[in-house]
């Protein structure tokens, strides 16, 4: 039996399946020792108490009378001793975490309600799921770390959260299989960075595999098959076995890529020095939300200050550009509200920051305090126009005015929205530099969810609208002498780099593992050919035609450069 999906991170691995469940706080069937039973039950009880308080608050101020009745019913479920006792008894008898026990009891209750002939009881299944989700969120707020993964684990999830993968930093999985998540989703950016093969787009993935199944993940061809025990053992003994995939080799080549400026994108401080050692001029993008693995929501000021200071020091005088938190609402609130229907279009990034001014000021203050040497710049995510920047600048001015011994940072805007492209001349008046986030620019310009595999064929980085947008932004920035760096996944992909350079890009910010290959390409391409390529591409009106023209041009001009997509 073979399942065909889409390759989102190359390489091949054989390993044991481990199902990851949960929407906000993800978890798996993990066992605990007998001594952990009572603390685990206490943790569960605390989560139930927290969830009950939320419900009481909602009942006190219900949006509608109908809602009050529903929340009342939910509170009754939480108060019922059978629910609490059942979960505690699963923790005790199966020696599993509170999350897993809650899931077990919920699944059991829901399936018995659904099987009922009484329509009211069948409907109650939804309420049980709802209450269970609320308690699971409360458990997530409690910051208990996930246990390490067993060796040779293949993670299987409908959608794997990047924060979940980050939590496994000390025990990386051998491979990943998911239903959702595209090439530019953060989880797979991280997977490629760590050389973890991954296949996405396998429908109903959680039902096809069980914990412990042996599977082969072929990240080159985007397929998954079951493995025999023999194949698994051979793989472990093989030189390509586990470890080989994640060691990664670096091409050492210290020659500068003439005329181009190369920066590194990082998600942890320890990668800064490695990036600089590999020739990056500085850090072009720190996704600040990744500096705090295991912490859900806004970290406190001191913790942030220490992290930004450590990053600034690790850079040893080179510039580091810290992007303010690119959270969505779901990542910073635990229970008590309906999920947004369209989070990508909702309360996220700079919007969420401005809406939660107190939390945003905390982050700005922590960044400013860390800027004692003046090598920190701030990037603002998802800027829609000048209004957002003006508001942020006034907060920065205000916080800066209260501090001493620190330097004023450079401020840049992420260009990810079509509106920002259209008013780029106005935006440039209020910022010191631009960072083009092609991952989101493609998503928002083409209206294609970057995490939805089902529409991956419409996620067309070579769409003429994207190429025109990129060219327009670069031209506008150059016209006023301000730097513009390309920092989405396109910038680190050998296939797109020559085209981006042809469109005028001279600053690239790429993940650590892409630095050597991007530098090699930039060193070996010459501008006359780039101009010729762009002249041809400008006349084309479909992504397919652009792709074919690029393949042909690369074959002619640089047959030795291996200009593949990943
Ligand atoms: C982008 O959108 O291209 C980008 C660099 O930011 P992120 O991938 O974090 O959304
Ligand atoms: Mg983005």
């Amino acid at each position: 039996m073979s399942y065909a999906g889409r390759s989102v991170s190359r390489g091949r691995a054989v390993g044991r399946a481990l199902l990851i469940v949960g929407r906000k706080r993800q978890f798996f069937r993990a066992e605990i020792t007998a001594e952990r039973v009572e603390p685990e039950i206490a943790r569960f009880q605390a989560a139930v108490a927290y969830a009950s308080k939320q419900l009481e608050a909602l009942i006190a101020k219900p949006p509608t009378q109908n809602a009050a009745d529903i929340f009342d019913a939910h509170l009754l479920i939480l108060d019922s001793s059978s629910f609490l006792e059942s979960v505690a008894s699963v923790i005790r008898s199966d020696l599993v975490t509170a999350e897993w026990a809650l899931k077990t009891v919920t699944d059991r209750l829901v399936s018995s309600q659904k099987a009922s002939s009484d329509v009211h009881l069948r409907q109650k299944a939804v309420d049980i799921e709802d209450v269970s989700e609320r308690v699971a969120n409360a458990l997530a707020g409690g910051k208990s770390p996930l246990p390490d993964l067993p060796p040779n684990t293949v993670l299987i999830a409908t959608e794997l959260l990047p924060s979940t993968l980050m939590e496994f930093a000390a025990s990386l999985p051998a491979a990943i299989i998911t239903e959702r998540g595209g090439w530019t989703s953060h989880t797979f950016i991280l997977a490629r960075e760590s050389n973890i093969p991954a296949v996405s787009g396998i429908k109903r993935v959680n039902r096809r595999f069980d914990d412990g199944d042996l599977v082969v993940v072929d990240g080159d061809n985007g397929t998954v098959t079951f493995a025999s025990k023999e194949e698994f053992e051979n793989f472990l003994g093989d030189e390509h076995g586990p470890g080989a995939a994640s060691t990664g080799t670096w091409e050492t080549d210290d020659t500068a890529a003439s005329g181009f400026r190369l920066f590194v994108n990082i998600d942890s401080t320890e990668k800064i020095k490695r990036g600089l050692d590999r020739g990056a001029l500085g850090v072009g993008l720190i996704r600040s939300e990744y500096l705090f693995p295991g912490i859900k929501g806004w970290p406190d000021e001191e913790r942030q200050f220490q992290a930004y200071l450590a990053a600034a020091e690790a850079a040893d005088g080179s510039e580091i550009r810290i992007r303010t938190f690119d959270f969505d609402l779901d990542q910073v609130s635990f229970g008590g509200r309906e999920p947004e229907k369209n989070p990508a279009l909702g309360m996220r990034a700079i919007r969420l920051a401005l809406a939660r001014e107190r939390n945003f000021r905390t982050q700005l203050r922590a960044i400013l305090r860390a800027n004692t040497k003046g090598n920190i710049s701030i990037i603002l995510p998802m800027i829609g126009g000048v209004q957002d920047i003006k508001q942020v600048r006034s907060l920065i001015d205000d916080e800066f005015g209260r501090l001493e011994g620190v330097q004023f940072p450079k401020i840049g805007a992420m260009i990810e929205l079509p509106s920002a492209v259209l008013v780029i001349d106005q935006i440039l008046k209020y910022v010191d530099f631009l960072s083009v986030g092609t991952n989101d620019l493609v998503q928002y310009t083409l209206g294609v969810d970057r995490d939805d595999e089902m529409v991956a064929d419409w996620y067309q980085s070579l769409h003429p609208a994207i190429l025109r947008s990129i060219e327009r932004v670069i031209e506008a920035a150059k016209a006023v002498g301000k730097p513009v760096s390309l920092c989405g996944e396109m910038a680190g992909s050998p296939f797109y780099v020559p085209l981006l350079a042809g469109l005028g890009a001279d600053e690239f910010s790429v993940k650590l593992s892409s630095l050597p290959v991007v530098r090699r390409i930039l060193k070996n391409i010459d501008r006359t050919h780039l101009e010729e390529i762009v002249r041809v591409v400008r006349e084309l009106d479909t992504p397919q035609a652009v792709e074919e023209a690029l393949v042909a041009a690369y074959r002619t001009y640089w047959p030795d450069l291996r200009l593949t997509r990943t």
Side-chain angles (χ1 to χ4, degrees):
M1 174 69 87
S2 167
Y3 299 108
R6 198 177 286 265
S7 158
V8 278
S9 180
R10 296 172 75 83
R12 182 176 177 280
V14 186
R16 263 199 199 86
L18 182 69
L19 269 56
I20 302 288
V21 296
R23 197 175 59 83
K24 192 178 289 191
R25 164 71 167 176
Q26 297 194 302
F27 54 94
F28 55 94
R29 188 184 192 288
E31 291 184 3
I32 57 173
T33 56
E35 298 85 72
R36 286 284 318 151
V37 165
E38 289 315 315
E40 200 61 13
I41 291 175
R43 194 166 77 84
F44 172 67
Q45 286 165 340
V48 169
Y50 181 78
S52 303
K53 271 215 189 86
Q54 280 183 338
L55 284 170
E56 279 158 12
L58 287 166
I59 292 165
K61 275 192 194 165
T64 62
Q65 184 47 45
N66 210 4
D69 294 344
I70 294 170
F71 294 135
D72 255 334
H74 288 187
L75 196 56
L76 272 181
I77 299 174
L78 269 192
D79 282 348
S80 77
S81 55
S82 69
F83 180 71
L84 303 188
E85 268 314 307
S86 305
V87 175
S89 108
V90 172
I91 296 177
R92 242 181 238 117
S93 61
D94 295 5
L95 293 180
V96 288
T97 53
E99 282 89 348
W100 194 261
L102 176 64
K103 174 184 158 25
T104 309
V105 170
T106 307
D107 288 353
R108 205 190 291 151
L109 286 174
V110 165
S111 66
S112 84
Q113 304 282 9
K114 280 189 177 160
S116 163
S117 54
D118 180 332
V119 66
H120 296 295
L121 284 181
R122 284 208 303 276
Q123 281 165 356
K124 202 176 158 209
V126 179
D127 292 314
I128 293 170
E129 279 172 333
D130 223 356
V131 169
S132 172
E133 178 74 23
R134 185 178 294 283
V135 178
N137 284 341
L139 281 169
K143 295 172 199 150
S144 125
L146 285 172
D148 278 355
L149 291 176
N152 315 308
T153 294
V154 174
L155 294 183
I156 299 189
T158 304
E159 182 167 17
L160 185 68
L161 295 177
S163 55
T164 305
L165 186 55
M166 300 272 308
E167 280 196 61
F168 295 134
S171 57
L172 286 176
I176 301 169
I177 308 169
T178 65
E179 177 167 347
R180 281 175 56 87
W183 183 60
T184 61
S185 73
H186 285 163
T187 303
F188 297 124
I189 294 175
L190 291 167
R192 289 195 295 278
E193 175 80 328
S194 306
N195 296 313
I196 301 168
V199 172
S200 177
I202 309 275
K203 297 268 170 305
R204 291 185 298 284
V205 73
N206 270 339
R207 297 204 202 141
R208 301 194 189 279
F209 303 95
D210 277 323
D211 278 347
D213 282 349
L214 297 179
V215 288
V216 184
V217 181
D218 183 339
D220 297 326
N221 296 309
T223 57
V224 179
T225 45
F226 287 102
S228 63
K229 202 152 176 272
E230 200 182 358
E231 268 177 293
F232 177 57
E233 276 158 12
N234 285 346
F235 180 77
L236 296 192
D238 193 30
E239 57 180 305
H240 302 296
S246 48
T247 47
T249 52
W250 299 100
E251 295 173 41
T252 41
D253 172 2
D254 287 329
T255 341
S258 59
F260 294 101
R261 294 161 54 79
L262 206 46
F263 288 79
V264 66
N265 295 346
I266 61 108
D267 45 62
S268 75
T269 304
E270 53 93 21
K271 287 187 183 158
I272 295 180
K273 187 165 169 341
R274 285 158 66 195
L276 298 178
D277 286 348
R278 282 166 195 141
L281 295 173
V283 180
L285 175 66
I286 299 184
R287 292 177 166 101
S288 59
E289 59 278 14
Y290 290 118
L291 294 182
F292 310 96
I295 295 182
K296 303 281 165 184
W298 313 88
D300 63 42
E301 180 173 337
E302 201 50 31
R303 196 186 290 260
Q304 289 192 58
F305 167 66
Q306 293 300 343
Y308 305 143
L309 189 67
E313 281 173 0
D316 197 20
S318 303
E319 183 183 3
I320 60 166
R321 298 175 180 171
I322 301 178
R323 184 178 70 186
T324 57
F325 292 130
D326 198 350
F327 289 136
D328 63 33
L329 193 55
D330 203 38
Q331 288 166 290
V332 296
S333 54
F334 293 93
R337 71 165 67 243
E338 288 289 300
E340 286 182 295
K341 202 160 169 211
N342 294 305
L345 302 181
M347 186 53 90
R348 53 164 299 206
I350 205 66
R351 300 172 185 172
L352 181 61
L354 290 169
R356 302 276 174 93
E357 190 182 306
R358 195 172 50 80
N359 297 109
F360 189 36
R361 278 180 184 268
T362 301
Q363 180 172 34
L364 293 174
R365 221 166 29 242
I367 297 176
L368 292 170
R369 280 176 56 205
N371 196 25
T372 50
K373 302 265 164 54
N375 63 331
I376 296 184
S377 303
I378 295 179
I379 309 186
L380 308 172
M382 209 189 172
I383 289 297
V386 164
Q387 182 67 34
D388 295 334
I389 307 172
K390 280 186 174 173
Q391 267 178 273
V392 177
R393 286 203 80 117
S394 86
L395 296 181
I396 295 179
D397 287 343
D398 196 32
E399 291 300 333
F400 182 76
R402 296 171 214 232
L403 296 170
E404 277 173 18
V406 298
Q407 304 195 32
F408 198 82
K410 290 202 181 87
I411 299 172
M414 289 292 286
I415 303 303
E416 314 182 277
L417 294 175
S419 61
V421 174
L422 290 171
V423 297
I424 197 69
D425 53 324
Q426 299 176 334
I427 287 178
L428 278 160
K429 293 189 182 133
Y430 292 88
V431 294
D432 303 300
F433 65 93
L434 301 176
S435 296
V436 183
T438 53
N439 303 338
D440 276 322
L441 186 64
V442 175
Q443 153 162 281
Y444 292 120
T445 305
L446 305 182
V448 179
D449 182 344
R450 67 192 253 196
D451 290 327
D452 185 352
E453 260 304 299
M454 215 149 48
V455 290
D457 285 344
W458 282 268
Y459 187 95
Q460 297 160 337
S461 304
L462 295 177
H463 192 294
I466 302 301
L467 306 187
R468 287 184 188 183
S469 299
I470 293 173
E471 196 167 20
R472 182 171 178 163
V473 170
I474 295 172
E475 257 177 31
K478 284 190 173 170
V480 293
K482 294 194 174 172
V484 50
S485 84
L486 277 283
C487 68
E489 285 304 281
M490 279 179 88
S493 159
F495 190 73
Y496 298 118
V497 167
L499 173 65
L500 295 173
L503 292 171
D506 45 26
E507 208 171 284
F508 293 75
S509 190
V510 307
K511 61 183 181 295
L512 192 56
S513 56
S514 299
L515 273 176
V517 69
V518 172
R519 193 177 44 218
R520 183 167 57 82
I521 292 166
L522 293 175
K523 231 174 51 125
N524 285 290
I525 52 181
D526 54 79
R527 299 224 183 229
T528 11
H529 290 148
L530 291 179
E531 281 160 21
E532 178 54 29
I533 290 172
V534 168
R535 228 187 338 269
V536 171
V537 161
R538 271 203 206 100
E539 301 303 317
L540 302 172
D541 55 12
T542 65
Q544 289 79 2
V546 174
E547 177 156 353
E548 282 162 24
L550 290 182
V551 170
Y554 293 171
R555 220 177 264 147
T556 311
Y557 300 135
W558 306 297
D560 302 330
L561 276 184
R562 284 183 289 130
L563 296 169
T564 56
R565 211 168 294 253
T566 44

